[in-house]
Amino acid sequence: MDDRSSGKLKAPGINEITVISATAALFVLVWLVYDRVIGTGGWRIYQGQFRQLQREKLKVKLKNAESRQSTALKKLAHAPVNADFSRDESTLIDSLKRQVNEVDSRPAVIEEIVVSDLHGRHVDRCTTCHQGIERAEFSGASRLVFRAHPDLDGLLKHHPVAKFGCTTCHEGQGSDLDARHGPILKGRMVESSCVRCHENAPLLTGASTAAEGALLYQSKGCYACHQVDGSPYLTANLGFVAPDLKSIRSKVQPQWLATWIRSPRKVHPRTLMPEFGIKNAGLPDQESVQLASYLLKVSGDAPLSAQAIVYGRTNQATPLSVARGKELFEKRGCLGCHDLGKNRTAAPRHSSLDGIGSKVSRQWLYSWIEDPQKMSANTLMPKFALKPDEIACLADFLSTKRKDKLEYVKCDSGDMTLAANIEAGKKLVGRYGCYNCHSIPGFENNNQKIGPALTDFGARDPIAFSWGKKKNVVPRKERNWYTWTIAKLKDPKVFETRRIKKIMPHFELTTQEIDKIVVFLKSLTGHQTVSSQNLARIKPGQADSIAGRQLIYQYGCTGCHSMYDETARAPSEDKSLPCQLRGGALAPNLSGTGARVRSDWLLAFLEKPYKMRPYLTTSMPTFHFRNRDDRTLVRYFQATANSAAHFERGGQLERAATANAEAGKKIFAGHLCASCHQLNGRQLPVASKLRWYHNMQFARRMAPDLADVKEKLRRDWLVRFIENPPLLIPDTTMPYMALTSEEAAALASYLDSAFPKTVSKTAN
């Protein structure tokens, strides 16, 4: 009879019990191996290996100490031994033995750091495995897991692990103990997290990558299409990024315009304008013609000056005028922002003039050089103090820079007057968002950004990103925020599908530029979650410093001027050493300008500059500052008055005491200051019978004019500079005259009282 029919179950046999037991044992064994080697138990192995490293280092120190003590004892019979030395060695040996015993007896434990005041309450267990993170002796550890954190005396001094943990800056899954940390911020990417706690993040030393990425974001014109709110890296009010197109038909030929729209980089390889359409091919000819048709239809006439019209009708270029124009181009500061297809300029927003003669007419060039603001109110190009004949020579020279082998778009003159092309062109302007960068008639009231807002882009989940259909672009296992962003910046159309068309143009970014922009984009989280107790709030003047740096970049000041970059140094770096010098060499170094000159004089000079250094062939042009940017720049120099490293070597300035001007007059004459300096362009008398002092024309060209000393220079700075010129300005040609502080103050008093001043405008 079957047991199941009687309601009874058959007891498992011995073989079945054996199989079940073996399976359970195997499962437990596999779990233990995974837990210790692969899973969360791996931390025990790491701690054991770290204890072994510690033990080896301590035993090496112990062996050396015992060897020194043994050597000292052997010499005891021949010469007296320093008792203090022997005691110190014995104390050191006892201490090392105790440390070895402590390491041997230390149990394996999970280390936790509870961070409750930063970005919400969270637990970090990172130091469970990363045992050497704060130990300087492990700075050169071969294994990364045991290596000490870089810059222990800088970053970790101000951000102790016990208070801030690791994930506050590095992100990741700090509570997990397996080898999978989750996506963490490494290397320069860590700088993107500074903004969460520091309102003054753009000014932090040793964390300049995000700020440089923001400046690239600004110079490439990304802000024109993408809205970013709340980022301290973008605080300046920036205008249009590209030229005004309201009078484009008076500027260029129709066929050239269509060719330019199709592929700007084929016309100018280093142009700032990106390439729409297919990479290295551009837009289809039909779309290029349609866009050009609309722009030419709505365009008005350029406000050419009367002199430009006369020049275009009567003046003819000659080899002499072209040569003179080339000389002016090279010596009057044009190379600060422009190149002719050869060497790239130092300006962050350079503009290549290679082939400019094929683009615009000679009379348009003349009128533009004469007064750029009159031709286009949105331009950032300043007005230079040029004579009519100099303007004509420059226009003659630039007109010779042609590209005769340019492959033009094939179209008839009548194609650009067709109503269908004009209407289609208007739709394309709206589709590609041309109005975001250019001022275009018909789109004056369209303030909508063509691209998505990026205010919280750094915090977005990559699951929501469109990865396209190309599986080989980013393999599925490697898909995360970083790989998507890098791939998108390298090729904006990489994730395009038949249904989803991407309109973002190609910027031809370098790998270095992409890395910096990615750090900046990762900093865009949309909000700060740090508690008010730990928030490093911005200090008075720092907002002006941040906005001023953006304006210096926007107006291209570093195309001509150089500046010391304080943010490029590490926090622990010696500040008495000069930091990195960036910018051009056509004009004086601007570092420490706020400490050197008076604010009211600087504001007046920015609004109406004049030539003050006879030795320079270049002179400061007149900028058309918008949004009261000139006042922001003045406040920037005030806020950074004592920040330059070369200035800090001399210490902070103090108010100089008044001194006897008569004594200063004797010093001025005795040291033959008039042999180098002029007054309002006039040579001053030199009180010397030596003939060679009266024949120093070169020296007089090398020194600044002494007019407006009292109105221009701060008295405290002037005294310190006279006392030791190279200390404040290392590259100055002013010699060290070994004057005492009292003599320097007397000479400064004489300069203040003896020379006339000009009228300056008071800064707000």
Side-chain angles (χ1 to χ4, degrees), residues 65-82 85-86:
E66 290 174 342
S67 176
R68 290 193 300 269
Q69 187 184 49
S70 176
T71 302
L73 291 175
K74 288 179 181 179
K75 294 180 180 180
L76 182 61
H78 306 284
V81 177
N82 189 325
F85 172 79
S86 181

Side-chain angles (χ1 to χ4, degrees), residues 310-382:
V310 172
Y311 162 81
R313 292 175 179 174
T314 61
N315 199 65
Q316 295 295 327
T318 64
L320 186 61
S321 67
V322 172
R324 173 62 175 155
K326 182 177 184 297
E327 181 183 5
L328 289 168
F329 186 87
E330 294 173 349
K331 292 184 176 181
R332 294 304 295 269
C334 305
L335 290 172
C337 296
H338 301 284
D339 66 70
L340 296 174
K342 296 182 180 179
N343 298 325
R344 184 186 177 97
T345 69
R349 289 185 50 79
H350 79 284
S351 177
S352 177
L353 297 181
D354 185 27
I356 188 69
S358 302
K359 175 182 177 180
V360 300
S361 64
R362 292 170 64 246
Q363 64 179 9
W364 189 93
L365 264 176
Y366 185 101
S367 189
W368 178 265
I369 297 172
E370 183 183 22
D371 192 349
Q373 291 296 326
K374 183 179 178 182
M375 296 288 287
S376 174
N378 294 329
T379 185
L380 293 175
M381 179 170 169

Side-chain angles (χ1 to χ4, degrees), residues 49 51 113 292 349 657 679 724:
Q49 292 172 346
R51 286 197 300 272
I113 300 172
R349 289 185 50 79
L679 175 63
N724 193 344

